[in-house]
Amino acid sequence: MTAKMKAAIFVEPNRIVLDEKPIPDVGPLDALIRITTTTICGTDVHILKGEYPVARGLTIGHEPVGIIEKLGSAVEGFEEGQRVIAGAITPSGHSAACLCGCHSQDGPRTKYGFKPMGGWRFGNTIDGAQAEYLLVPDAMTNLSPIPDSLTDEQVLMCPDIMSTGFSGAESGKVRIGDTVAVFAQGPIGLCATAGARLMGATRIIGVEAVPARMEIARRMGADHVVDFTKVDAVDEIMRLTDGRGVDVAIEALGRQETFEAALRVLRPGGTLSSLGVYSSDLKIPLDGFLAGLGDHTIVTTLCPGGKERMRRLMQVIASGRIDTQALVTHRFKLDQIEEAYDLFAHPRDGVLKVAITP
């Protein structure tokens, strides 16, 4: 009889349910990990709502922390029983995209080696992490050992939220002495704020209205937090910068309003770094775009993955430079995954991120 496991399965729009699936078989380059902690992402909510299409019957989730249960016959450098994470992005390591540093757009079996969002496999094109077990492809590229000094919850943000948030600052090429605005202080925006501080920004302006998030934003590095329900965020940021505007604006929500506001607060020659997942067409306002003559840069980013990225992020945690544990506000068992989705998809009770354990 085939061994079974519990898994959160996409059934149809507005329906993700806990059900049973076979425990995956392990191929030569794969690893099977037993999930000890995972979480729910805003992208999972887009999937739940039918705003991002995935196959029916797919296991959702892309933020795994676990223990190696079984290794493929060709996998070297790891041991069964070892604590590991894998990034939300799991590059093959050998495609044309990977070999030119574009791991998130990995296309190892395509004609030219690139595939839009091809590095995002968990919970997108293969079964994901909201389950008792997870099959990790290309294990030697993607598994990263967890330092003994770190707990599951300390590294839970590394696979996606921390990697994505930091990449907003990295893609924006934040420099020492920069002024940076971060639109929305959800989990990704909070990590973007922390990333901007680590990269040397000396004035960081967060935009948020939820008091608890505003407070965490200050702890993560925001010098000012603008409550957009009380003042016009664009006007206030321009006031705070004495009319100069910001060097880098990071959009971390995925809405027309925040994208447009991020563009409007840029100084000439500034960079808009977009992290949001958008559900409809974006429009670029003529005046904010300066008719295309403002020397602006607009850059988008799908979070980096792979074992070296994960190692570096865990080193940041281990160094004490950033503490992401405050982002975990609620805890559920896997058996309660549907309840956890309801809370996360309809935010209440101060929810930021949820920890899901067996």
Side-chain angles (χ1 to χ4, degrees):
M1 182 180 291
T2 303
K4 296 293 186 73
M5 65 176 184
K6 297 174 184 175
I9 297 169
F10 175 75
V11 178
E12 60 188 359
N14 298 310
R15 235 186 122 203
I16 289 175
V17 301
L18 188 69
D19 207 341
E20 287 193 338
K21 296 182 87 165
I23 296 175
D25 293 327
V26 178
L29 293 174
D30 303 332
L32 183 70
I33 66 172
R34 176 169 53 84
I35 297 294
T36 54
T37 311
T38 188
T39 184
I40 297 173
C41 178
T43 306
D44 299 331
V45 175
H46 284 291
I47 291 170
L48 171 66
K49 294 178 178 179
E51 296 169 347
Y52 183 89
V54 299
R56 298 185 182 214
L58 189 75
T59 302
I60 306 304
H62 50 261
E63 298 164 274
V65 182
I67 295 171
I68 297 174
E69 184 81 7
K70 188 175 181 181
L71 290 171
S73 59
V75 177
E76 299 177 348
F78 297 92
E79 299 176 356
E80 293 176 0
Q82 192 172 19
R83 293 176 65 226
V84 291
I85 63 172
I89 302 302
T90 53
S92 65
H94 58 78
S95 69
C98 288
L99 293 174
C100 59
C102 204
H103 302 92
S104 301
Q105 313 302 326
D106 182 34
R109 288 167 294 282
T110 61
K111 183 175 181 180
Y112 297 109
F114 287 82
K115 180 182 178 183
M117 301 178 290
W120 173 29
R121 293 190 271 182
F122 292 146
N124 182 24
T125 58
I126 64 174
D127 279 340
Q130 291 167 17
E132 291 181 292
Y133 294 92
L134 172 71
L135 188 71
V136 179
D138 300 300
M140 288 187 290
T141 302
N142 292 299
L143 290 183
S144 190
I146 302 171
D148 291 340
S149 62
L150 298 180
T151 67
D152 280 15
E153 285 196 8
Q154 282 180 289
V155 302
L156 182 57
M157 298 303 120
C158 294
D160 181 2
I161 299 304
M162 190 175 165
S163 187
T164 300
F166 279 21
S167 70
E170 292 165 311
S171 294
K173 293 182 168 54
V174 173
R175 297 186 296 176
I176 292 170
D178 271 356
T179 296
V180 177
V182 183
F183 285 82
Q185 294 293 295
I188 287 176
L190 289 166
C191 287
T193 294
R197 180 178 65 172
L198 286 171
M199 292 188 70
T202 49
R203 178 183 286 184
I204 301 171
I205 305 167
V207 180
E208 182 54 68
V210 178
R213 297 185 178 197
M214 295 171 77
E215 177 55 33
I216 296 175
R218 293 184 183 95
R219 286 159 50 189
M220 298 289 267
D223 300 286
H224 308 275
V225 184
V226 174
D227 185 342
F228 64 86
T229 65
K230 296 181 178 178
V231 295
D232 181 278
V234 172
D235 289 346
E236 183 64 7
I237 290 171
M238 296 307 290
R239 185 190 73 78
L240 288 168
T241 60
D242 195 28
R244 176 184 183 274
V246 303
D247 299 287
V248 180
I250 300 174
E251 199 289 326
L253 188 60
R255 292 185 181 173
Q256 173 68 37
E257 312 93 272
T258 45
F259 180 88
E260 187 171 323
L263 185 60
R264 291 182 185 280
V265 301
L266 285 180
R267 65 161 171 80
T271 297
L272 193 166
S273 181
S274 173
L275 295 176
V277 178
Y278 301 95
S279 300
S280 59
D281 289 346
L282 285 174
K283 297 178 181 178
I284 295 179
L286 183 66
D287 58 341
F289 197 46
L290 300 181
L293 303 175
D295 287 329
H296 293 135
T297 298
I298 298 176
V299 59
T300 66
T301 307
L302 176 57
C303 75
K307 66 181 180 183
E308 174 61 9
R309 176 69 169 183
M310 296 301 105
R311 184 196 67 81
R312 288 175 176 269
L313 295 178
M314 288 190 288
Q315 280 296 112
V316 174
I317 297 288
S319 73
R321 299 290 202 281
I322 178 177
D323 182 1
T324 61
Q325 290 182 93
L327 304 187
V328 180
T329 55
H330 294 73
R331 293 161 182 84
F332 295 87
K333 295 295 184 182
L334 182 59
D335 286 342
Q336 301 170 297
I337 189 79
E338 294 174 46
E339 180 184 340
Y341 262 102
D342 182 69
L343 173 68
F344 195 75
H346 306 91
R348 56 189 185 275
D349 193 26
V351 65
L352 275 172
K353 289 288 280 185
V354 299
I356 308 293
T357 54

